[in-house]
Amino acid sequence: MKLIRFLSTTLCLSALVLNKGMAQTDPHFTQNYTYPMYINPAMTGGSDGDYRVSAIYRSQWGSISNPFRTVGVSFDTRTNKNIALGVNLQNQSAGDGGFNYLNAAASLAYTGVKFGNGLNHHLVLALQAGIINRRVDQTKFKWGEQWNPITGYNPNNAVSETFNTTSATALDIGAGALYYDASPEKKANVFGGFSVYHINRPKDPIVYSSSAELSTIPLRYVLHGGISFNISEKCNIVPHVLFMQQGNAKEIMFGTYVRMNVNEETDFLFGGYYRNQDAVAPYAGIDYKNFTIGVSYDANISKLGAMTRNVNSFEISFTYTKRSTDKSIFDFIRCPRL
């Protein structure tokens, strides 16, 4: 009970600390549930197996000479002590400026809160702690002072711009809560969660300012949820929504996927996502034995599409789940997953 009170208090306090006037700094994915602990540490252990290994790769804005590339790898497992453990590692290399974002974190989730008929209603509370490393290669930047209106760009021109530092590592802490209904007799099972990252307000000395607020990585908080409609023993449909905000940047995403069971070893998955005022993304995947592979492609519907010459974002994901028994349709109800 002390752990529950501590985690609940952490969530409430962090929800009250809103950061104003800052832009989003964290990477994001379209197939967000494939990299679960990045949207909510309470998703730790939320698979239908003993443990799960996931990997995701995203390439963005491939029309520029050096596109944004983001890679995420995670591992999570459940124990018989109402505790789930997980680790995730993420790296993003961004554009021609030599910017690199590395995040490594460990998650601990308490899964022992169960209530209702048959104790099928679950509340998971979790903490996450790790490090963030951000670095830039100053030699790859092109500054305004290096441009001449007559002769053009000259890299030998002196510049007055500078960075306070070109590399920084900081402690990072997050927390989350997740509710899901695991009742096997229902035709619709609900799940939803809330999480907050950068609770300890880690400093970002690379972006230097005399104001302490401007050199702080802004809070990122996530609200997400959905419903699993169990159409038959061989089919379920899962519409879901995600709201994420970091500073003054907001993301609203709607998605739906369908899982069709073909035989005892194979499921087909298909669906799509809509990111508000930004992109639509079709999704397709296959679940064969313990392996799941998914692909998605973001097609820009905003003015950004013209700027990137309609070369949009591509994602591929891979998941291995160690299942101790044959999977059933109820396994997918009990955990919100893609």
Side-chain angles (χ1 to χ4, degrees), residues 5-15 126-127 173-175 196 199:
R5 287 195 293 269
F6 172 71
L7 292 173
S8 300
T9 302
T10 302
L11 282 170
C12 292
L13 290 175
S14 58
L127 280 175
I173 296 176
V196 184
I199 294 174

Side-chain angles (χ1 to χ4, degrees), residues 57-77:
Y57 169 81
R58 177 180 176 88
S59 178
Q60 189 171 354
W61 301 334
S63 59
I64 63 178
S65 59
N66 189 9
F68 283 45
R69 294 186 177 92
T70 310
V71 179
V73 180
S74 67
F75 170 86
D76 61 322
T77 184

Side-chain angles (χ1 to χ4, degrees), residues 204-261:
D204 182 10
I206 293 178
V207 183
Y208 177 74
S209 173
S210 58
S211 169
E213 181 180 4
L214 294 179
S215 61
T216 299
I217 298 177
L219 290 173
R220 174 169 62 92
Y221 55 97
V222 183
L223 184 66
H224 64 100
I227 306 174
S228 175
F229 291 103
N230 310 302
I231 306 304
S232 68
E233 292 184 355
K234 292 184 175 292
C235 176
N236 67 320
I237 301 174
V238 185
H240 51 92
V241 62
L242 179 143
F243 172 83
M244 181 164 62
Q245 181 165 345
Q246 186 173 19
N248 56 14
K250 297 180 181 179
E251 177 178 314
I252 302 174
M253 177 178 286
F254 303 92
T256 299
Y257 83 96
V258 179
R259 178 181 292 272
M260 298 289 297
N261 178 243

Side-chain angles (χ1 to χ4, degrees), residues 324-338:
S324 56
T325 58
D326 292 337
K327 60 185 178 180
S328 72
I329 187 65
F330 298 122
D331 289 325
F332 302 114
I333 298 171
R334 290 175 182 150
C335 56
R337 66 186 287 269
L338 287 182

